[in-house]
Amino acid sequence: MRYILLFWAVPMGLFWGWFYLSYNDINFGLTFLSRPVHDFAFGFYGNLLGIDPQTIPPLVARACVVDTVVIFAIYAFRRRRDIIGWWNASRQPTVAPEAGQVPPAE
């Protein structure tokens, strides 16, 4: 499962890192982080798909959200016993010590 999370998190981080830096033209002297490359990439994909390039980022964001929900649903299903145990333990009332009593020091 950790490999699935790794293969999900690394591409997401790389893509959204590139998107943020190139969208805001924070390029650190690197061409692939520049705004013209950003516009070219989305223009290329827009022409390839036959849609307006401005509609591609919201579509990618929606796909990333769906992928994230699927990955974490699989993870939660695999860890359901641990999650149920944690949930039941957190729902148990805690007993406060009586007034005037102090727990022993260590």
Side-chain angles (χ1 to χ4, degrees):
M1 192 68 202
R2 75 182 67 149
Y3 293 116
I4 291 174
L5 290 174
L6 178 73
F7 290 127
W8 163 82
V10 170
M12 290 288 232
L14 288 174
F15 174 75
W16 288 112
W18 169 80
F19 182 84
Y20 175 79
L21 292 173
S22 65
Y23 184 77
N24 293 310
D25 202 18
I26 305 171
N27 56 20
F28 304 111
L30 300 171
T31 306
F32 71 92
L33 293 176
S34 66
R35 183 62 191 228
V37 172
H38 176 92
D39 293 337
F40 173 76
F42 284 102
F44 177 77
Y45 287 127
N47 289 335
L48 188 69
L49 297 172
I51 60 175
D52 181 33
Q54 298 295 333
T55 61
I56 295 174
L59 293 174
V60 172
R62 190 176 318 152
C64 289
V65 168
V66 169
D67 289 348
T68 301
V69 167
V70 168
I71 292 293
F72 282 106
I74 292 169
Y75 185 75
F77 181 75
R78 290 181 57 114
R79 300 287 182 165
R80 65 186 178 273
R81 289 183 187 96
D82 297 335
I83 293 171
I84 291 169
W86 169 81
W87 180 260
N88 290 335
S90 68
R91 305 300 285 170
Q92 296 294 326
T94 58
V95 178
E98 295 180 17
Q101 292 185 345
V102 179
E106 294 183 311

